[in-house]
Amino acid sequence: ALQGAITVAEKLLAEVGAPYYFKGTEILVGASIGIAPFPASGQDVETLMNHADIAMYRSKESGRHGYQCFTQEMRLETTRQRAAEQALERALHAGEFELFYQPRVATDGQRIAALEALLRWRDNGTLKSPHSFVPLLERTGLIGEVGDWVVASVCGQIKAWREAGCDVPLVSINLSASQLRDVGLSRRLRRILDSYDIRPDTIEFEITETLLLGKDETVKRVLQELRELGCSIAIDDFGAGYCSFAYLRDYRVDVIKIDRGFISGITAGSTEALLVGGIIRLARDLSLKVVIEGVERQEEVEVLLPCDPDEFQGYLFHRPMDAAAIRKLLCFAPDPPNSDVSQNWH
Ligand code: C2E
Ligand code: MG
Ligand code: MG
């Protein structure tokens, strides 16, 4: 029976997949098929449809235009994923998300030029990194709600630091691809900023370059609206993805953050050093600010300083820390006069 279903699926795919022409334009249509054979995949219509659905989604995930046969493993995976989704939703409402902040330091002194807000999940006492849950937030669409929470939290925090007498620098916030496809984003964010009385030029949004590449008109519009609001835009992980200069032309941005991949273990005269130097010169011509991410060692600083970037961010200077630690840093660590990174960070 399964072989029969597969034969039918293949025939359907061949039929549907054949190009056809509409007013002289070639049109390609794809299909994703899920197969749930009776009785192995279920005894009744409802269960079978359900399982065929799971297989169909699996087929969509593994690339368009294909088929997948239902397996019990798929059902377990789906159940696990649903449990993880529910845990995240619960975490949001139970207040288990937290923000850490990592300082960005100006290269012309130890001045803290900005803070990057980094999401954490305090799950049963362990602090989880966003790598372990942001992709799931994105897949489930929960990232929209969590993203709004992040912005509101940052605003509340800036207010609290100010009330404690701190001089608060720019704060940067990471945005995911799916958030930028949300046409309501800038309106909601403006409302949040207004309600905390935070000027938009206090906030920078970091966007990962890979997502900009699709020439998505919605993304373009949303980014433009955020800039019109008065927030600045940074390209995160510059050079790590499908690096293309097209987006520097297509999207107006203010800052590029050069990815740690270029930096770790960099030596004078290496290809990496030449690339970073070139990127920084290009950025200068385009009037963009340059931040170097993930600086861990003094030797890296020595190689990078002659390239003249604007800011460093990395464990060598500061690790991400909670709001209380940042308050101490902002309130009790005045700038030493005329300090220079190359002399002060040994
Ligand atoms: P990112 O925006 O590129 O953030 C920098 C990451 O590098 C952070 O990891 C930071 O802790 C880490 N890092 C900083 N300095 C160093 C260093 O010297 N060495 C090394 N090895 N790592 C360093 P983190 O906090 O785990 O965040 C990972 C990613 O998760 C972020 O990468 C960002 O893309 C995403 N993310 C974080 N917070 C949010 C958020 O609120 N919303 C969204 N959508 N994504 C977020
Ligand atoms: Mg970032
Ligand atoms: Mg980054």
Side-chain angles (χ1 to χ4, degrees):
L2 184 56
Q3 198 45 56
I6 288 175
T7 310
V8 173
E10 280 168 349
K11 275 192 191 147
L12 281 170
L13 288 172
E15 278 303 315
V16 173
Y20 72 93
Y21 295 86
F22 178 71
K23 291 186 179 168
T25 309
E26 186 184 73
I27 299 191
L28 290 170
V29 179
S32 297
I33 300 176
I35 301 173
F38 171 84
S41 306
Q43 305 287 336
D44 54 78
V45 174
E46 200 185 337
T47 312
L48 283 168
M49 288 303 289
N50 220 327
H51 290 171
D53 218 33
I54 289 175
M56 188 261 294
Y57 277 107
R58 186 58 63 92
S59 167
K60 273 188 198 291
E61 277 167 22
S62 54
R64 287 174 187 276
H65 205 63
Y67 65 86
Q68 288 278 326
C69 300
F70 174 79
T71 62
Q72 291 301 328
E73 179 49 42
M74 279 182 194
R75 193 175 54 81
L76 287 177
E77 180 54 35
T78 307
T79 314
R80 273 198 293 271
Q81 185 146 332
R82 245 172 236 154
E85 282 170 32
Q86 280 162 7
L88 283 173
E89 190 150 10
R90 189 189 40 70
L92 175 64
H93 297 118
E96 290 173 4
F97 286 123
E98 224 174 277
L99 289 178
F100 270 38
Y101 297 85
Q102 186 180 31
R104 283 165 34 183
V105 297
T107 46
D108 57 5
Q110 293 193 30
R111 184 172 56 88
I112 294 174
L115 301 168
E116 176 172 9
L118 294 162
L119 190 58
R120 296 289 179 269
W121 174 15
R122 200 174 286 280
D123 184 21
N124 284 319
T126 56
L127 211 51
K128 288 205 169 136
S129 143
H131 287 304
S132 69
F133 61 88
V134 164
L136 191 55
L137 288 176
E138 287 168 359
R139 271 212 301 282
T140 56
L142 258 180
I143 193 70
E145 212 180 321
V146 173
D148 288 359
W149 175 86
V150 169
V151 176
S153 258
V154 164
C155 291
Q157 192 57 66
I158 293 175
K159 235 181 149 177
W161 282 327
R162 283 190 180 146
E163 279 160 11
C166 305
D167 198 1
V168 184
L170 183 83
V171 180
S172 68
I173 297 176
N174 292 284
L175 288 182
S176 289
S178 43
Q179 291 176 270
L180 288 170
R181 291 200 194 93
D182 172 359
V183 288
L185 184 77
S186 65
R187 198 163 32 85
R188 282 203 319 280
L189 297 193
R190 161 180 236 142
R191 212 176 302 141
I192 296 173
L193 263 59
D194 283 349
S195 70
Y196 285 92
D197 219 7
I198 300 293
R199 280 175 43 179
D201 61 6
T202 319
I203 305 290
E204 183 163 288
F205 291 107
E206 298 192 4
I207 284 124
T208 303
E209 63 165 331
T210 47
L211 78 92
L212 292 175
L213 283 180
K215 278 202 165 191
D216 190 320
E217 285 302 319
T218 308
V219 171
K220 209 166 169 174
R221 198 176 112 201
V222 171
L223 273 177
Q224 183 57 30
E225 285 172 0
L226 291 175
R227 284 190 103 240
E228 278 163 12
L229 247 179
C231 301
S232 51
I233 307 288
I235 307 256
D236 207 349
D237 308 329
F238 187 92
Y242 307 92
C243 184
S244 154
F245 288 105
Y247 58 78
L248 288 179
R249 178 195 63 201
D250 295 338
Y251 301 94
R252 298 275 314 276
V253 302
D254 309 278
V255 179
I256 57 176
K257 300 186 75 182
I258 300 183
D259 190 67
R260 188 179 124 66
F262 284 109
I263 307 312
S264 60
I266 198 167
T267 51
S270 62
T271 306
E272 283 86 355
L274 294 173
L275 274 171
V276 171
I279 293 172
I280 294 176
R281 279 194 300 278
L282 176 80
R284 286 275 166 274
D285 289 345
L286 294 169
S287 308
L288 303 176
K289 201 198 284 179
V290 179
V291 181
I292 309 252
E293 287 194 290
V295 181
E296 292 184 352
R297 294 164 348 131
Q298 184 60 37
E299 300 87 89
E300 294 161 359
V301 170
E302 313 294 356
V303 176
L304 292 164
L305 265 182
C307 301
D308 198 25
D310 297 279
E311 295 168 21
F312 285 132
Q313 180 179 359
Y315 295 166
L316 178 66
F317 304 103
H318 298 281
R319 287 191 171 254
M321 50 192 129
D322 66 19
I326 291 288
R327 186 177 63 81
K328 286 197 192 116
L329 197 68
L330 292 180
C331 292
F332 305 122
D335 299 344
N338 298 325
S339 51
D340 181 81
V341 202
S342 60
Q343 282 140 39
N344 283 293
W345 270 298
H346 287 284

mmCIF file of all heavy atoms in Angstrom, residues 174-206:
data_model
loop_
_atom_site.group_PDB
_atom_site.id
_atom_site.type_symbol
_atom_site.label_atom_id
_atom_site.label_comp_id
_atom_site.label_asym_id
_atom_site.label_seq_id
_atom_site.Cartn_x
_atom_site.Cartn_y
_atom_site.Cartn_z
ATOM 1 N N ASN A 174 18.830 43.318 19.548
ATOM 2 C CA ASN A 174 18.825 42.416 18.383
ATOM 3 C C ASN A 174 17.410 42.189 17.872
ATOM 4 O O ASN A 174 16.482 41.983 18.654
ATOM 5 C CB ASN A 174 19.433 41.064 18.770
ATOM 6 C CG ASN A 174 20.916 41.177 19.066
ATOM 7 O OD1 ASN A 174 21.733 41.282 18.162
ATOM 8 N ND2 ASN A 174 21.262 41.189 20.348
ATOM 9 N N LEU A 175 17.263 42.217 16.562
ATOM 10 C CA LEU A 175 15.969 41.894 15.954
ATOM 11 C C LEU A 175 16.140 40.706 15.021
ATOM 12 O O LEU A 175 17.131 40.611 14.303
ATOM 13 C CB LEU A 175 15.446 43.078 15.132
ATOM 14 C CG LEU A 175 14.927 44.313 15.863
ATOM 15 C CD1 LEU A 175 14.426 45.322 14.828
ATOM 16 C CD2 LEU A 175 13.807 43.971 16.837
ATOM 17 N N SER A 176 15.161 39.810 15.028
ATOM 18 C CA SER A 176 15.179 38.653 14.135
ATOM 19 C C SER A 176 14.516 38.982 12.811
ATOM 20 O O SER A 176 13.722 39.922 12.720
ATOM 21 C CB SER A 176 14.382 37.506 14.749
ATOM 22 O OG SER A 176 15.058 36.987 15.831
ATOM 23 N N ALA A 177 14.816 38.142 11.844
ATOM 24 C CA ALA A 177 14.221 38.292 10.513
ATOM 25 C C ALA A 177 12.713 38.410 10.579
ATOM 26 O O ALA A 177 12.110 39.303 9.987
ATOM 27 C CB ALA A 177 14.595 37.093 9.658
ATOM 28 N N SER A 178 12.094 37.502 11.343
ATOM 29 C CA SER A 178 10.632 37.477 11.341
ATOM 30 C C SER A 178 10.049 38.745 11.955
ATOM 31 O O SER A 178 8.966 39.168 11.579
ATOM 32 C CB SER A 178 10.132 36.240 12.070
ATOM 33 O OG SER A 178 10.872 36.033 13.239
ATOM 34 N N GLN A 179 10.792 39.368 12.871
ATOM 35 C CA GLN A 179 10.284 40.617 13.447
ATOM 36 C C GLN A 179 10.241 41.721 12.398
ATOM 37 O O GLN A 179 9.354 42.565 12.412
ATOM 38 C CB GLN A 179 11.170 41.058 14.615
ATOM 39 C CG GLN A 179 11.049 40.143 15.818
ATOM 40 C CD GLN A 179 12.021 40.546 16.922
ATOM 41 O OE1 GLN A 179 13.149 40.072 16.973
ATOM 42 N NE2 GLN A 179 11.591 41.426 17.795
ATOM 43 N N LEU A 180 11.211 41.678 11.484
ATOM 44 C CA LEU A 180 11.276 42.728 10.462
ATOM 45 C C LEU A 180 10.265 42.523 9.342
ATOM 46 O O LEU A 180 10.076 43.378 8.494
ATOM 47 C CB LEU A 180 12.676 42.789 9.862
ATOM 48 C CG LEU A 180 13.723 43.360 10.801
ATOM 49 C CD1 LEU A 180 15.096 43.155 10.226
ATOM 50 C CD2 LEU A 180 13.467 44.832 11.050
ATOM 51 N N ARG A 181 9.636 41.349 9.340
ATOM 52 C CA ARG A 181 8.600 41.132 8.334
ATOM 53 C C ARG A 181 7.232 41.519 8.881
ATOM 54 O O ARG A 181 6.214 41.332 8.240
ATOM 55 C CB ARG A 181 8.582 39.662 7.895
ATOM 56 C CG ARG A 181 9.815 39.320 7.107
ATOM 57 C CD ARG A 181 9.643 38.092 6.264
ATOM 58 N NE ARG A 181 10.966 37.666 5.828
ATOM 59 C CZ ARG A 181 11.707 36.780 6.484
ATOM 60 N NH1 ARG A 181 11.233 36.182 7.572
ATOM 61 N NH2 ARG A 181 12.900 36.473 6.056
ATOM 62 N N ASP A 182 7.218 42.056 10.087
ATOM 63 C CA ASP A 182 5.971 42.425 10.754
ATOM 64 C C ASP A 182 5.694 43.903 10.488
ATOM 65 O O ASP A 182 6.386 44.777 11.011
ATOM 66 C CB ASP A 182 6.178 42.123 12.252
ATOM 67 C CG ASP A 182 5.040 42.618 13.122
ATOM 68 O OD1 ASP A 182 4.089 43.220 12.579
ATOM 69 O OD2 ASP A 182 5.121 42.400 14.334
ATOM 70 N N VAL A 183 4.691 44.179 9.662
ATOM 71 C CA VAL A 183 4.436 45.566 9.257
ATOM 72 C C VAL A 183 4.001 46.458 10.422
ATOM 73 O O VAL A 183 4.063 47.677 10.322
ATOM 74 C CB VAL A 183 3.357 45.659 8.139
ATOM 75 C CG1 VAL A 183 3.915 45.160 6.829
ATOM 76 C CG2 VAL A 183 2.096 44.907 8.523
ATOM 77 N N GLY A 184 3.567 45.832 11.523
ATOM 78 C CA GLY A 184 3.137 46.635 12.666
ATOM 79 C C GLY A 184 4.274 46.983 13.625
ATOM 80 O O GLY A 184 4.067 47.699 14.612
ATOM 81 N N LEU A 185 5.484 46.481 13.326
ATOM 82 C CA LEU A 185 6.590 46.596 14.291
ATOM 83 C C LEU A 185 6.906 48.036 14.714
ATOM 84 O O LEU A 185 6.905 48.350 15.907
ATOM 85 C CB LEU A 185 7.862 45.941 13.736
ATOM 86 C CG LEU A 185 9.032 45.923 14.726
ATOM 87 C CD1 LEU A 185 8.850 44.837 15.769
ATOM 88 C CD2 LEU A 185 10.370 45.722 14.022
ATOM 89 N N SER A 186 7.140 48.908 13.744
ATOM 90 C CA SER A 186 7.630 50.242 14.110
ATOM 91 C C SER A 186 6.569 51.011 14.905
ATOM 92 O O SER A 186 6.896 51.752 15.827
ATOM 93 C CB SER A 186 8.059 51.014 12.867
ATOM 94 O OG SER A 186 6.944 51.263 12.059
ATOM 95 N N ARG A 187 5.307 50.807 14.550
ATOM 96 C CA ARG A 187 4.238 51.503 15.281
ATOM 97 C C ARG A 187 4.212 51.050 16.742
ATOM 98 O O ARG A 187 4.144 51.851 17.668
ATOM 99 C CB ARG A 187 2.888 51.228 14.612
ATOM 100 C CG ARG A 187 1.796 52.199 14.995
ATOM 101 C CD ARG A 187 0.619 52.150 14.011
ATOM 102 N NE ARG A 187 0.417 50.814 13.448
ATOM 103 C CZ ARG A 187 -0.288 49.850 14.049
ATOM 104 N NH1 ARG A 187 -0.855 50.078 15.202
ATOM 105 N NH2 ARG A 187 -0.421 48.673 13.473
ATOM 106 N N ARG A 188 4.333 49.717 16.935
ATOM 107 C CA ARG A 188 4.320 49.194 18.310
ATOM 108 C C ARG A 188 5.536 49.665 19.102
ATOM 109 O O ARG A 188 5.428 50.085 20.240
ATOM 110 C CB ARG A 188 4.294 47.664 18.307
ATOM 111 C CG ARG A 188 2.944 47.057 18.010
ATOM 112 C CD ARG A 188 2.837 45.635 18.551
ATOM 113 N NE ARG A 188 4.033 44.840 18.348
ATOM 114 C CZ ARG A 188 4.367 44.236 17.203
ATOM 115 N NH1 ARG A 188 3.577 44.316 16.154
ATOM 116 N NH2 ARG A 188 5.476 43.536 17.111
ATOM 117 N N LEU A 189 6.710 49.632 18.444
ATOM 118 C CA LEU A 189 7.926 50.021 19.147
ATOM 119 C C LEU A 189 7.889 51.506 19.516
ATOM 120 O O LEU A 189 8.312 51.898 20.594
ATOM 121 C CB LEU A 189 9.173 49.685 18.327
ATOM 122 C CG LEU A 189 9.386 48.193 18.057
ATOM 123 C CD1 LEU A 189 10.776 47.930 17.521
ATOM 124 C CD2 LEU A 189 9.146 47.339 19.299
ATOM 125 N N ARG A 190 7.351 52.317 18.612
ATOM 126 C CA ARG A 190 7.251 53.741 18.921
ATOM 127 C C ARG A 190 6.392 53.950 20.165
ATOM 128 O O ARG A 190 6.725 54.729 21.053
ATOM 129 C CB ARG A 190 6.637 54.480 17.738
ATOM 130 C CG ARG A 190 6.110 55.809 18.174
ATOM 131 C CD ARG A 190 5.477 56.604 17.070
ATOM 132 N NE ARG A 190 6.161 57.867 17.036
ATOM 133 C CZ ARG A 190 6.464 58.512 15.951
ATOM 134 N NH1 ARG A 190 6.165 58.016 14.795
ATOM 135 N NH2 ARG A 190 7.068 59.671 16.024
ATOM 136 N N ARG A 191 5.286 53.190 20.221
ATOM 137 C CA ARG A 191 4.394 53.338 21.368
ATOM 138 C C ARG A 191 5.118 52.941 22.663
ATOM 139 O O ARG A 191 4.984 53.588 23.690
ATOM 140 C CB ARG A 191 3.124 52.495 21.165
ATOM 141 C CG ARG A 191 1.920 53.150 21.829
ATOM 142 C CD ARG A 191 0.629 52.387 21.572
ATOM 143 N NE ARG A 191 0.315 52.239 20.156
ATOM 144 C CZ ARG A 191 -0.207 51.134 19.633
ATOM 145 N NH1 ARG A 191 -0.440 50.078 20.375
ATOM 146 N NH2 ARG A 191 -0.508 51.082 18.352
ATOM 147 N N ILE A 192 5.906 51.860 22.580
ATOM 148 C CA ILE A 192 6.635 51.421 23.776
ATOM 149 C C ILE A 192 7.636 52.504 24.212
ATOM 150 O O ILE A 192 7.688 52.893 25.376
ATOM 151 C CB ILE A 192 7.373 50.081 23.508
ATOM 152 C CG1 ILE A 192 6.357 48.971 23.218
ATOM 153 C CG2 ILE A 192 8.255 49.692 24.702
ATOM 154 C CD1 ILE A 192 6.980 47.643 22.775
ATOM 155 N N LEU A 193 8.413 53.008 23.253
ATOM 156 C CA LEU A 193 9.398 54.050 23.568
ATOM 157 C C LEU A 193 8.712 55.268 24.196
ATOM 158 O O LEU A 193 9.184 55.799 25.207
ATOM 159 C CB LEU A 193 10.158 54.466 22.300
ATOM 160 C CG LEU A 193 11.518 53.826 22.054
ATOM 161 C CD1 LEU A 193 11.446 52.315 21.971
ATOM 162 C CD2 LEU A 193 12.152 54.365 20.780
ATOM 163 N N ASP A 194 7.606 55.681 23.575
ATOM 164 C CA ASP A 194 6.878 56.844 24.109
ATOM 165 C C ASP A 194 6.416 56.609 25.531
ATOM 166 O O ASP A 194 6.514 57.494 26.374
ATOM 167 C CB ASP A 194 5.654 57.151 23.227
ATOM 168 C CG ASP A 194 6.062 57.861 21.941
ATOM 169 O OD1 ASP A 194 7.246 58.288 21.869
ATOM 170 O OD2 ASP A 194 5.233 57.968 21.031
ATOM 171 N N SER A 195 5.921 55.392 25.791
ATOM 172 C CA SER A 195 5.333 55.167 27.112
ATOM 173 C C SER A 195 6.399 55.180 28.202
ATOM 174 O O SER A 195 6.095 55.402 29.360
ATOM 175 C CB SER A 195 4.520 53.872 27.137
ATOM 176 O OG SER A 195 5.401 52.789 27.064
ATOM 177 N N TYR A 196 7.664 54.954 27.825
ATOM 178 C CA TYR A 196 8.738 55.035 28.830
ATOM 179 C C TYR A 196 9.501 56.348 28.717
ATOM 180 O O TYR A 196 10.494 56.550 29.406
ATOM 181 C CB TYR A 196 9.715 53.864 28.662
ATOM 182 C CG TYR A 196 9.174 52.551 29.153
ATOM 183 C CD1 TYR A 196 8.498 51.696 28.296
ATOM 184 C CD2 TYR A 196 9.317 52.172 30.492
ATOM 185 C CE1 TYR A 196 7.995 50.485 28.739
ATOM 186 C CE2 TYR A 196 8.829 50.961 30.945
ATOM 187 C CZ TYR A 196 8.169 50.131 30.060
ATOM 188 O OH TYR A 196 7.673 48.930 30.498
ATOM 189 N N ASP A 197 9.054 57.183 27.768
ATOM 190 C CA ASP A 197 9.697 58.466 27.613
ATOM 191 C C ASP A 197 11.162 58.316 27.187
ATOM 192 O O ASP A 197 12.040 59.011 27.708
ATOM 193 C CB ASP A 197 9.630 59.210 28.960
ATOM 194 C CG ASP A 197 9.366 60.683 28.738
ATOM 195 O OD1 ASP A 197 9.120 61.044 27.579
ATOM 196 O OD2 ASP A 197 9.432 61.448 29.717
ATOM 197 N N ILE A 198 11.419 57.380 26.301
ATOM 198 C CA ILE A 198 12.780 57.131 25.835
ATOM 199 C C ILE A 198 12.928 57.697 24.426
ATOM 200 O O ILE A 198 12.118 57.398 23.540
ATOM 201 C CB ILE A 198 13.078 55.610 25.800
ATOM 202 C CG1 ILE A 198 12.928 54.974 27.185
ATOM 203 C CG2 ILE A 198 14.455 55.327 25.205
ATOM 204 C CD1 ILE A 198 13.942 55.414 28.210
ATOM 205 N N ARG A 199 13.947 58.529 24.228
ATOM 206 C CA ARG A 199 14.167 59.084 22.889
ATOM 207 C C ARG A 199 14.656 57.989 21.948
ATOM 208 O O ARG A 199 15.536 57.205 22.311
ATOM 209 C CB ARG A 199 15.204 60.202 22.956
ATOM 210 C CG ARG A 199 14.605 61.512 23.445
ATOM 211 C CD ARG A 199 15.676 62.561 23.616
ATOM 212 N NE ARG A 199 16.629 62.556 22.485
ATOM 213 C CZ ARG A 199 17.646 63.406 22.409
ATOM 214 N NH1 ARG A 199 17.861 64.268 23.380
ATOM 215 N NH2 ARG A 199 18.461 63.366 21.375
ATOM 216 N N PRO A 200 14.111 57.941 20.740
ATOM 217 C CA PRO A 200 14.501 56.877 19.799
ATOM 218 C C PRO A 200 16.001 56.851 19.511
ATOM 219 O O PRO A 200 16.549 55.781 19.233
ATOM 220 C CB PRO A 200 13.718 57.209 18.530
ATOM 221 C CG PRO A 200 12.593 58.068 18.980
ATOM 222 C CD PRO A 200 13.057 58.809 20.185
ATOM 223 N N ASP A 201 16.673 57.990 19.592
ATOM 224 C CA ASP A 201 18.109 57.949 19.275
ATOM 225 C C ASP A 201 18.942 57.335 20.400
ATOM 226 O O ASP A 201 20.164 57.260 20.307
ATOM 227 C CB ASP A 201 18.641 59.331 18.865
ATOM 228 C CG ASP A 201 18.491 60.368 19.968
ATOM 229 O OD1 ASP A 201 18.081 59.994 21.089
ATOM 230 O OD2 ASP A 201 18.790 61.544 19.710
ATOM 231 N N THR A 202 18.270 56.852 21.443
ATOM 232 C CA THR A 202 18.945 56.101 22.502
ATOM 233 C C THR A 202 19.045 54.626 22.112
ATOM 234 O O THR A 202 19.740 53.848 22.741
ATOM 235 C CB THR A 202 18.105 56.163 23.811
ATOM 236 O OG1 THR A 202 17.596 57.469 23.953
ATOM 237 C CG2 THR A 202 18.911 55.780 25.034
ATOM 238 N N ILE A 203 18.263 54.243 21.095
ATOM 239 C CA ILE A 203 18.142 52.821 20.744
ATOM 240 C C ILE A 203 18.729 52.530 19.364
ATOM 241 O O ILE A 203 18.516 53.276 18.415
ATOM 242 C CB ILE A 203 16.653 52.379 20.738
ATOM 243 C CG1 ILE A 203 15.968 52.692 22.077
ATOM 244 C CG2 ILE A 203 16.510 50.903 20.383
ATOM 245 C CD1 ILE A 203 16.430 51.852 23.248
ATOM 246 N N GLU A 204 19.468 51.415 19.288
ATOM 247 C CA GLU A 204 19.970 50.940 18.000
ATOM 248 C C GLU A 204 19.427 49.524 17.790
ATOM 249 O O GLU A 204 19.348 48.768 18.746
ATOM 250 C CB GLU A 204 21.497 50.914 18.057
ATOM 251 C CG GLU A 204 22.180 50.518 16.778
ATOM 252 C CD GLU A 204 23.651 50.934 16.827
ATOM 253 O OE1 GLU A 204 23.931 52.155 16.743
ATOM 254 O OE2 GLU A 204 24.497 50.052 16.994
ATOM 255 N N PHE A 205 19.067 49.188 16.565
ATOM 256 C CA PHE A 205 18.612 47.828 16.291
ATOM 257 C C PHE A 205 19.673 47.083 15.498
ATOM 258 O O PHE A 205 20.193 47.601 14.519
ATOM 259 C CB PHE A 205 17.279 47.840 15.554
ATOM 260 C CG PHE A 205 16.150 48.311 16.421
ATOM 261 C CD1 PHE A 205 15.587 49.573 16.239
ATOM 262 C CD2 PHE A 205 15.675 47.517 17.454
ATOM 263 C CE1 PHE A 205 14.558 50.018 17.066
ATOM 264 C CE2 PHE A 205 14.647 47.956 18.290
ATOM 265 C CZ PHE A 205 14.093 49.210 18.096
ATOM 266 N N GLU A 206 19.998 45.861 15.949
ATOM 267 C CA GLU A 206 20.991 45.031 15.263
ATOM 268 C C GLU A 206 20.277 43.983 14.428
ATOM 269 O O GLU A 206 19.410 43.268 14.917
ATOM 270 C CB GLU A 206 21.898 44.335 16.288
ATOM 271 C CG GLU A 206 22.686 45.303 17.122
ATOM 272 C CD GLU A 206 23.791 44.627 17.925
ATOM 273 O OE1 GLU A 206 24.004 43.407 17.774
ATOM 274 O OE2 GLU A 206 24.439 45.344 18.704
#
